[in-house]
Amino acid sequence: QKEVEQNSGPLSVPEGAIASLNCTYSDRVSQSFFWYRQYSGKSPELIMSIYSNGDKEDGRFTAQLNKASQYVSLLIRDSQPSDSATYLCAVNSLAYGQNFVFGPGTRLSVLP
Amino acid sequence: ETGVTQSPTHLIKTRGQQVTLRCSSQSGHNTVSWYQQALGQGPQFIFQYYREEENGRGNFPPRFSGLQFPNYSSELNVNALELDDSALYLCASSLRLGSSTDTQYFGPGTRLTVL
């Protein structure tokens, strides 16, 4: 089992819809979870971090964390074509000395 | 803009050569992590430097080595380059307090091509 898995893409949603991105992780003691957005040919940029169970909202973005299920998700409301990118889930991992492990990413396309 | 800079932007090398990539961390950050990102994959953790010492390493061979300087800038060195080393190399800076790695901010990356 891979340490961090994400739903396989590409994911296509129409403009204005809600995009739902999912991530599961295997290290039960992970404490910090991050979502990054990466445009083609660019480096990852931070969208949100989440540390506690429940929801965390920032503008059109909502991160959801369930440590018991080892699951973290990102919802993008009112999706825009500019949201089209690859979304990376990152988890801190005890196996790597509390360093980050990234998932493979989910490619999102928002269709006008 | 994250304040993290990397040089060079692009680099072409031949198999067997050696390469050095450089990174300047964001002001106030004391930790630098290096990642390799192959096309279509997520970043893979190479190692982290904290207070000039290696602090965690991923599944990369010893020919991948690094340094961190007193001003917290860092270098990634790769010896005996192989074709599979072709990738985007990312540097991320963060403020490490205690045992946990805080939010990491990425530089623009160095695209390395090995021929």
Side-chain angles (χ1 to χ4, degrees), chain A residues 9-81:
Chain A
L11 175 66
S12 294
V13 299
E15 184 174 354
I18 296 175
S20 177
L21 304 163
N22 303 318
C23 172
T24 58
Y25 58 95
S26 61
D27 187 350
R28 288 189 167 274
V29 299
S30 293
Q31 295 295 320
S32 307
F33 307 87
F34 303 84
W35 283 100
Y36 287 84
R37 176 175 63 197
Q38 186 174 27
Y39 292 111
S40 181
K42 302 294 185 181
S43 64
E45 56 179 320
L46 179 71
I47 300 175
M48 292 187 70
S49 58
I50 186 166
Y51 305 92
S52 303
N53 281 328
D55 294 359
K56 179 180 178 182
E57 186 174 320
D58 184 359
R60 296 186 295 113
F61 299 95
T62 299
Q64 300 174 317
L65 175 61
N66 183 326
K67 291 184 181 180
S69 300
Q70 295 174 243
Y71 174 90
V72 59
S73 67
L74 180 70
L75 300 177
I76 306 175
R77 291 182 300 281
D78 188 24
S79 295
Q80 301 296 309

Side-chain angles (χ1 to χ4, degrees), chain B residues 62-87:
Chain B
R63 59 189 185 84
F64 285 78
S65 64
L67 285 173
Q68 186 181 34
F69 300 100
N71 66 354
Y72 302 125
S73 65
S74 177
E75 287 182 354
L76 165 65
N77 299 291
V78 187
N79 294 322
L81 284 167
E82 300 177 359
L83 297 179
D84 285 348
D85 295 333
S86 295

